[in-house]
Amino acid sequence: MTVEELIVYGKQKVHSTHAKMLLADLLNKNAIELMTCLNEEVKPEIETKYREKLQSLQAQKPLQYVIGNVNFYGYTFKVDENVLIPRFETEELVENTLKFLDLFENAKTVIDLGCGSGAIGLTLKKKKPDLEVTLVDISPEALQIAQENATTLEAPVTFVQSDMWNQIEGTFDVIISNPPYIKEGEPIDEMVRKNEPALALYGGPDGLDFYRKIIKEIKNHIKDSYLIAFEIGESQKEAVEQLLKEALPEAHIITKKDLQNRDRMVFAYHF
Ligand code: GLN
């Protein structure tokens, strides 16, 4: 079948944008390139893959898992069911962290706790190659994906399998994390609940378990000057600020809103 015929076929099954994105990805083309080769014949093996992937989309699998990658901050990250799909809000966390790093000139070492696909830590390394970045996750499967992403992106970083600080020694200038923060009983999108790893989503009864875990030992892992950057759930500002204030009375604490005007990032710094 031709590209055009396959698009028409796909549009009967899923949203036309998704059908086009799927086919474009399988043909290693972008959306515009796809439109310039509508009459080309598609190889049978690609057609088979396309049909299979359309079925996955029809079965309500997220597009990013079906395609197998996602664009984050201009970089392509491989993703599968073992890692959270990086979100726009997390791009904003990175964006704001980079702005803080412009002010914190001596910052050298960074640790990304609960790295998942590596989107945060690897993007920081790409943007500021002089940083020494450590990526940590409890899940070996997630670390495997993060490692593949580090290789593809040519971003040399260190990996440690660890439940937050458990296997981590030493101090860091920058501690960054988008930990699991959904609280028990919080309604979440069905697509997220059914497909993304629970390990990366749920943060205990009030969603704050991982902030508590990180902050409890934070004194042992920061230097005199430091930047701490957390993504948070939109109702967690006060609680996370309070935890940080108690542990680090000298820190300046700032919560920033995302583009949808929700409190989504807390920064604590001393430099
Ligand atoms: N932002 C994600 C969601 O809303 C949750 C991510 C997390 O818990 N760190 O699905």
PDB file of all heavy atoms in Angstrom, residues 84-85 87 89-90 178-182 186 188-189 192 196 200-203 211 231-232 264, ligand 1:
ATOM      1  N   LEU A  84       8.004   6.783  33.313  1.00  0.00           N
ATOM      2  CA  LEU A  84       6.962   7.792  33.128  1.00  0.00           C
ATOM      3  C   LEU A  84       7.209   8.518  31.796  1.00  0.00           C
ATOM      4  O   LEU A  84       8.353   8.728  31.410  1.00  0.00           O
ATOM      5  CB  LEU A  84       7.100   8.797  34.280  1.00  0.00           C
ATOM      6  CG  LEU A  84       5.929   9.693  34.593  1.00  0.00           C
ATOM      7  CD1 LEU A  84       4.862   8.883  35.326  1.00  0.00           C
ATOM      8  CD2 LEU A  84       6.369  10.840  35.480  1.00  0.00           C
ATOM      9  N   ILE A  85       6.145   8.891  31.121  1.00  0.00           N
ATOM     10  CA  ILE A  85       6.304   9.706  29.914  1.00  0.00           C
ATOM     11  C   ILE A  85       6.622  11.133  30.361  1.00  0.00           C
ATOM     12  O   ILE A  85       5.841  11.720  31.112  1.00  0.00           O
ATOM     13  CB  ILE A  85       5.003   9.681  29.084  1.00  0.00           C
ATOM     14  CG1 ILE A  85       4.687   8.250  28.625  1.00  0.00           C
ATOM     15  CG2 ILE A  85       5.112  10.626  27.888  1.00  0.00           C
ATOM     16  CD1 ILE A  85       3.287   8.060  28.078  1.00  0.00           C
ATOM     17  N   ARG A  87       6.700  14.932  30.958  1.00  0.00           N
ATOM     18  CA  ARG A  87       5.600  15.880  30.769  1.00  0.00           C
ATOM     19  C   ARG A  87       6.117  17.283  30.466  1.00  0.00           C
ATOM     20  O   ARG A  87       7.251  17.629  30.812  1.00  0.00           O
ATOM     21  CB  ARG A  87       4.770  15.981  32.057  1.00  0.00           C
ATOM     22  CG  ARG A  87       4.343  14.675  32.692  1.00  0.00           C
ATOM     23  CD  ARG A  87       3.142  14.105  31.988  1.00  0.00           C
ATOM     24  NE  ARG A  87       2.366  13.209  32.824  1.00  0.00           N
ATOM     25  CZ  ARG A  87       2.498  11.892  32.872  1.00  0.00           C
ATOM     26  NH1 ARG A  87       3.419  11.282  32.139  1.00  0.00           N
ATOM     27  NH2 ARG A  87       1.711  11.164  33.646  1.00  0.00           N
ATOM     28  N   GLU A  89       5.317  19.923  32.056  1.00  0.00           N
ATOM     29  CA  GLU A  89       5.665  20.600  33.320  1.00  0.00           C
ATOM     30  C   GLU A  89       7.120  20.322  33.692  1.00  0.00           C
ATOM     31  O   GLU A  89       7.796  21.150  34.287  1.00  0.00           O
ATOM     32  CB  GLU A  89       4.801  20.116  34.497  1.00  0.00           C
ATOM     33  CG  GLU A  89       3.335  20.322  34.363  1.00  0.00           C
ATOM     34  CD  GLU A  89       2.668  19.136  33.684  1.00  0.00           C
ATOM     35  OE1 GLU A  89       2.654  19.112  32.445  1.00  0.00           O
ATOM     36  OE2 GLU A  89       2.157  18.247  34.385  1.00  0.00           O
ATOM     37  N   THR A  90       7.557  19.129  33.361  1.00  0.00           N
ATOM     38  CA  THR A  90       8.923  18.765  33.723  1.00  0.00           C
ATOM     39  C   THR A  90       9.933  19.514  32.847  1.00  0.00           C
ATOM     40  O   THR A  90      11.031  19.838  33.292  1.00  0.00           O
ATOM     41  CB  THR A  90       9.086  17.231  33.651  1.00  0.00           C
ATOM     42  OG1 THR A  90       8.013  16.646  34.393  1.00  0.00           O
ATOM     43  CG2 THR A  90      10.404  16.783  34.237  1.00  0.00           C
ATOM     44  N   ASN A 178      11.852  14.715  40.252  1.00  0.00           N
ATOM     45  CA  ASN A 178      10.413  14.672  39.993  1.00  0.00           C
ATOM     46  C   ASN A 178       9.952  13.327  40.547  1.00  0.00           C
ATOM     47  O   ASN A 178       9.826  12.353  39.816  1.00  0.00           O
ATOM     48  CB  ASN A 178      10.147  14.760  38.485  1.00  0.00           C
ATOM     49  CG  ASN A 178       8.689  14.501  38.156  1.00  0.00           C
ATOM     50  OD1 ASN A 178       7.814  14.597  39.012  1.00  0.00           O
ATOM     51  ND2 ASN A 178       8.418  14.139  36.912  1.00  0.00           N
ATOM     52  N   PRO A 179       9.763  13.279  41.875  1.00  0.00           N
ATOM     53  CA  PRO A 179       9.463  11.978  42.489  1.00  0.00           C
ATOM     54  C   PRO A 179       8.005  11.604  42.279  1.00  0.00           C
ATOM     55  O   PRO A 179       7.221  12.427  41.808  1.00  0.00           O
ATOM     56  CB  PRO A 179       9.736  12.249  43.974  1.00  0.00           C
ATOM     57  CG  PRO A 179       9.347  13.681  44.152  1.00  0.00           C
ATOM     58  CD  PRO A 179       9.715  14.375  42.859  1.00  0.00           C
ATOM     59  N   PRO A 180       7.629  10.390  42.636  1.00  0.00           N
ATOM     60  CA  PRO A 180       6.194  10.052  42.588  1.00  0.00           C
ATOM     61  C   PRO A 180       5.483  10.922  43.626  1.00  0.00           C
ATOM     62  O   PRO A 180       5.912  10.974  44.770  1.00  0.00           O
ATOM     63  CB  PRO A 180       6.165   8.576  43.010  1.00  0.00           C
ATOM     64  CG  PRO A 180       7.579   8.093  42.927  1.00  0.00           C
ATOM     65  CD  PRO A 180       8.445   9.277  43.151  1.00  0.00           C
ATOM     66  N   TYR A 181       4.413  11.601  43.245  1.00  0.00           N
ATOM     67  CA  TYR A 181       3.777  12.502  44.222  1.00  0.00           C
ATOM     68  C   TYR A 181       2.254  12.459  44.215  1.00  0.00           C
ATOM     69  O   TYR A 181       1.592  13.286  44.828  1.00  0.00           O
ATOM     70  CB  TYR A 181       4.264  13.945  44.041  1.00  0.00           C
ATOM     71  CG  TYR A 181       4.084  14.557  42.677  1.00  0.00           C
ATOM     72  CD1 TYR A 181       2.820  14.829  42.157  1.00  0.00           C
ATOM     73  CD2 TYR A 181       5.200  14.899  41.909  1.00  0.00           C
ATOM     74  CE1 TYR A 181       2.670  15.409  40.906  1.00  0.00           C
ATOM     75  CE2 TYR A 181       5.069  15.482  40.657  1.00  0.00           C
ATOM     76  CZ  TYR A 181       3.804  15.731  40.162  1.00  0.00           C
ATOM     77  OH  TYR A 181       3.663  16.300  38.925  1.00  0.00           O
ATOM     78  N   ILE A 182       1.673  11.495  43.516  1.00  0.00           N
ATOM     79  CA  ILE A 182       0.206  11.405  43.522  1.00  0.00           C
ATOM     80  C   ILE A 182      -0.232  10.755  44.834  1.00  0.00           C
ATOM     81  O   ILE A 182       0.367   9.771  45.272  1.00  0.00           O
ATOM     82  CB  ILE A 182      -0.272  10.613  42.293  1.00  0.00           C
ATOM     83  CG1 ILE A 182       0.068  11.439  41.041  1.00  0.00           C
ATOM     84  CG2 ILE A 182      -1.772  10.321  42.368  1.00  0.00           C
ATOM     85  CD1 ILE A 182      -0.154  10.730  39.747  1.00  0.00           C
ATOM     86  N   GLU A 186      -6.271  10.042  44.845  1.00  0.00           N
ATOM     87  CA  GLU A 186      -6.340  11.205  43.956  1.00  0.00           C
ATOM     88  C   GLU A 186      -6.794  10.731  42.573  1.00  0.00           C
ATOM     89  O   GLU A 186      -6.240   9.777  42.031  1.00  0.00           O
ATOM     90  CB  GLU A 186      -4.946  11.850  43.865  1.00  0.00           C
ATOM     91  CG  GLU A 186      -4.922  13.148  43.108  1.00  0.00           C
ATOM     92  CD  GLU A 186      -3.541  13.827  43.193  1.00  0.00           C
ATOM     93  OE1 GLU A 186      -2.825  13.651  44.195  1.00  0.00           O
ATOM     94  OE2 GLU A 186      -3.194  14.520  42.223  1.00  0.00           O
ATOM     95  N   ILE A 188      -6.832  10.251  38.853  1.00  0.00           N
ATOM     96  CA  ILE A 188      -5.894  10.527  37.760  1.00  0.00           C
ATOM     97  C   ILE A 188      -6.437   9.988  36.444  1.00  0.00           C
ATOM     98  O   ILE A 188      -7.277   9.096  36.419  1.00  0.00           O
ATOM     99  CB  ILE A 188      -4.451  10.009  38.016  1.00  0.00           C
ATOM    100  CG1 ILE A 188      -4.398   8.478  38.092  1.00  0.00           C
ATOM    101  CG2 ILE A 188      -3.841  10.622  39.251  1.00  0.00           C
ATOM    102  CD1 ILE A 188      -2.963   7.949  38.053  1.00  0.00           C
ATOM    103  N   ASP A 189      -5.921  10.570  35.395  1.00  0.00           N
ATOM    104  CA  ASP A 189      -6.302  10.182  34.047  1.00  0.00           C
ATOM    105  C   ASP A 189      -6.224   8.651  33.886  1.00  0.00           C
ATOM    106  O   ASP A 189      -5.227   8.033  34.266  1.00  0.00           O
ATOM    107  CB  ASP A 189      -5.282  10.860  33.121  1.00  0.00           C
ATOM    108  CG  ASP A 189      -5.733  10.887  31.712  1.00  0.00           C
ATOM    109  OD1 ASP A 189      -5.437   9.902  30.984  1.00  0.00           O
ATOM    110  OD2 ASP A 189      -6.376  11.859  31.340  1.00  0.00           O
ATOM    111  N   VAL A 192      -3.220   7.299  32.130  1.00  0.00           N
ATOM    112  CA  VAL A 192      -2.017   7.304  32.965  1.00  0.00           C
ATOM    113  C   VAL A 192      -2.071   6.110  33.928  1.00  0.00           C
ATOM    114  O   VAL A 192      -1.132   5.319  34.025  1.00  0.00           O
ATOM    115  CB  VAL A 192      -1.910   8.626  33.769  1.00  0.00           C
ATOM    116  CG1 VAL A 192      -0.748   8.578  34.746  1.00  0.00           C
ATOM    117  CG2 VAL A 192      -1.778   9.818  32.827  1.00  0.00           C
ATOM    118  N   GLU A 196       1.026   3.817  32.906  1.00  0.00           N
ATOM    119  CA  GLU A 196       2.337   4.286  33.364  1.00  0.00           C
ATOM    120  C   GLU A 196       2.699   3.608  34.686  1.00  0.00           C
ATOM    121  O   GLU A 196       1.826   3.164  35.422  1.00  0.00           O
ATOM    122  CB  GLU A 196       2.325   5.817  33.457  1.00  0.00           C
ATOM    123  CG  GLU A 196       2.043   6.423  32.084  1.00  0.00           C
ATOM    124  CD  GLU A 196       2.389   7.887  31.947  1.00  0.00           C
ATOM    125  OE1 GLU A 196       3.528   8.254  32.249  1.00  0.00           O
ATOM    126  OE2 GLU A 196       1.518   8.660  31.546  1.00  0.00           O
ATOM    127  N   ALA A 200       6.359   5.079  39.658  1.00  0.00           N
ATOM    128  CA  ALA A 200       6.761   6.452  39.335  1.00  0.00           C
ATOM    129  C   ALA A 200       5.667   7.464  39.652  1.00  0.00           C
ATOM    130  O   ALA A 200       5.880   8.668  39.509  1.00  0.00           O
ATOM    131  CB  ALA A 200       7.131   6.553  37.858  1.00  0.00           C
ATOM    132  N   LEU A 201       4.509   6.976  40.082  1.00  0.00           N
ATOM    133  CA  LEU A 201       3.366   7.891  40.237  1.00  0.00           C
ATOM    134  C   LEU A 201       2.976   8.161  41.684  1.00  0.00           C
ATOM    135  O   LEU A 201       2.704   9.299  42.052  1.00  0.00           O
ATOM    136  CB  LEU A 201       2.142   7.308  39.513  1.00  0.00           C
ATOM    137  CG  LEU A 201       2.188   7.279  37.993  1.00  0.00           C
ATOM    138  CD1 LEU A 201       1.008   6.487  37.445  1.00  0.00           C
ATOM    139  CD2 LEU A 201       2.163   8.695  37.418  1.00  0.00           C
ATOM    140  N   TYR A 202       2.923   7.112  42.509  1.00  0.00           N
ATOM    141  CA  TYR A 202       2.254   7.253  43.797  1.00  0.00           C
ATOM    142  C   TYR A 202       3.224   7.525  44.943  1.00  0.00           C
ATOM    143  O   TYR A 202       4.198   6.814  45.126  1.00  0.00           O
ATOM    144  CB  TYR A 202       1.412   6.005  44.082  1.00  0.00           C
ATOM    145  CG  TYR A 202       0.386   5.786  42.986  1.00  0.00           C
ATOM    146  CD1 TYR A 202       0.523   4.746  42.072  1.00  0.00           C
ATOM    147  CD2 TYR A 202      -0.684   6.659  42.833  1.00  0.00           C
ATOM    148  CE1 TYR A 202      -0.398   4.569  41.041  1.00  0.00           C
ATOM    149  CE2 TYR A 202      -1.610   6.490  41.804  1.00  0.00           C
ATOM    150  CZ  TYR A 202      -1.454   5.441  40.919  1.00  0.00           C
ATOM    151  OH  TYR A 202      -2.353   5.277  39.904  1.00  0.00           O
ATOM    152  N   GLY A 203       2.879   8.539  45.713  1.00  0.00           N
ATOM    153  CA  GLY A 203       3.758   8.980  46.802  1.00  0.00           C
ATOM    154  C   GLY A 203       3.151   8.804  48.180  1.00  0.00           C
ATOM    155  O   GLY A 203       3.373   9.638  49.059  1.00  0.00           O
ATOM    156  N   TYR A 211       9.282  13.205  49.096  1.00  0.00           N
ATOM    157  CA  TYR A 211       9.902  14.469  49.538  1.00  0.00           C
ATOM    158  C   TYR A 211      10.455  14.283  50.944  1.00  0.00           C
ATOM    159  O   TYR A 211      11.545  14.746  51.263  1.00  0.00           O
ATOM    160  CB  TYR A 211       8.895  15.627  49.506  1.00  0.00           C
ATOM    161  CG  TYR A 211       8.284  15.834  48.141  1.00  0.00           C
ATOM    162  CD1 TYR A 211       6.970  15.483  47.886  1.00  0.00           C
ATOM    163  CD2 TYR A 211       9.048  16.353  47.098  1.00  0.00           C
ATOM    164  CE1 TYR A 211       6.407  15.648  46.638  1.00  0.00           C
ATOM    165  CE2 TYR A 211       8.504  16.515  45.833  1.00  0.00           C
ATOM    166  CZ  TYR A 211       7.181  16.156  45.614  1.00  0.00           C
ATOM    167  OH  TYR A 211       6.637  16.307  44.372  1.00  0.00           O
ATOM    168  N   GLU A 231       9.841  18.907  41.333  1.00  0.00           N
ATOM    169  CA  GLU A 231       8.500  19.042  40.765  1.00  0.00           C
ATOM    170  C   GLU A 231       7.528  18.612  41.855  1.00  0.00           C
ATOM    171  O   GLU A 231       7.830  17.699  42.635  1.00  0.00           O
ATOM    172  CB  GLU A 231       8.345  18.142  39.526  1.00  0.00           C
ATOM    173  CG  GLU A 231       6.964  18.303  38.889  1.00  0.00           C
ATOM    174  CD  GLU A 231       6.819  17.579  37.554  1.00  0.00           C
ATOM    175  OE1 GLU A 231       7.746  17.638  36.725  1.00  0.00           O
ATOM    176  OE2 GLU A 231       5.757  16.948  37.364  1.00  0.00           O
ATOM    177  N   ILE A 232       6.382  19.282  41.926  1.00  0.00           N
ATOM    178  CA  ILE A 232       5.385  18.926  42.946  1.00  0.00           C
ATOM    179  C   ILE A 232       3.991  18.844  42.316  1.00  0.00           C
ATOM    180  O   ILE A 232       3.755  19.372  41.233  1.00  0.00           O
ATOM    181  CB  ILE A 232       5.328  19.965  44.097  1.00  0.00           C
ATOM    182  CG1 ILE A 232       4.998  21.371  43.552  1.00  0.00           C
ATOM    183  CG2 ILE A 232       6.611  19.969  44.895  1.00  0.00           C
ATOM    184  CD1 ILE A 232       4.522  22.356  44.609  1.00  0.00           C
ATOM    185  N   ARG A 264       3.894  24.229  40.637  1.00  0.00           N
ATOM    186  CA  ARG A 264       4.417  22.927  40.221  1.00  0.00           C
ATOM    187  C   ARG A 264       5.905  22.703  40.448  1.00  0.00           C
ATOM    188  O   ARG A 264       6.408  21.620  40.192  1.00  0.00           O
ATOM    189  CB  ARG A 264       4.113  22.702  38.728  1.00  0.00           C
ATOM    190  CG  ARG A 264       2.642  22.568  38.420  1.00  0.00           C
ATOM    191  CD  ARG A 264       1.998  21.469  39.236  1.00  0.00           C
ATOM    192  NE  ARG A 264       2.566  20.186  38.933  1.00  0.00           N
ATOM    193  CZ  ARG A 264       2.124  19.395  37.949  1.00  0.00           C
ATOM    194  NH1 ARG A 264       1.114  19.754  37.203  1.00  0.00           N
ATOM    195  NH2 ARG A 264       2.687  18.235  37.740  1.00  0.00           N
TER     196      ARG A 264
HETATM  197  N1  GLN B   1       2.698  14.619  36.561  1.00  0.00           N
HETATM  198  C1  GLN B   1       2.348  13.244  36.612  1.00  0.00           C
HETATM  199  C2  GLN B   1       0.856  13.067  36.389  1.00  0.00           C
HETATM  200  O1  GLN B   1       0.114  13.974  36.604  1.00  0.00           O
HETATM  201  C3  GLN B   1       2.751  12.640  37.931  1.00  0.00           C
HETATM  202  C4  GLN B   1       4.210  12.538  38.004  1.00  0.00           C
HETATM  203  C5  GLN B   1       4.745  12.221  39.341  1.00  0.00           C
HETATM  204  O2  GLN B   1       4.061  11.696  40.232  1.00  0.00           O
HETATM  205  N2  GLN B   1       5.952  12.575  39.507  1.00  0.00           N
HETATM  206  O3  GLN B   1       0.420  12.037  35.942  1.00  0.00           O
END
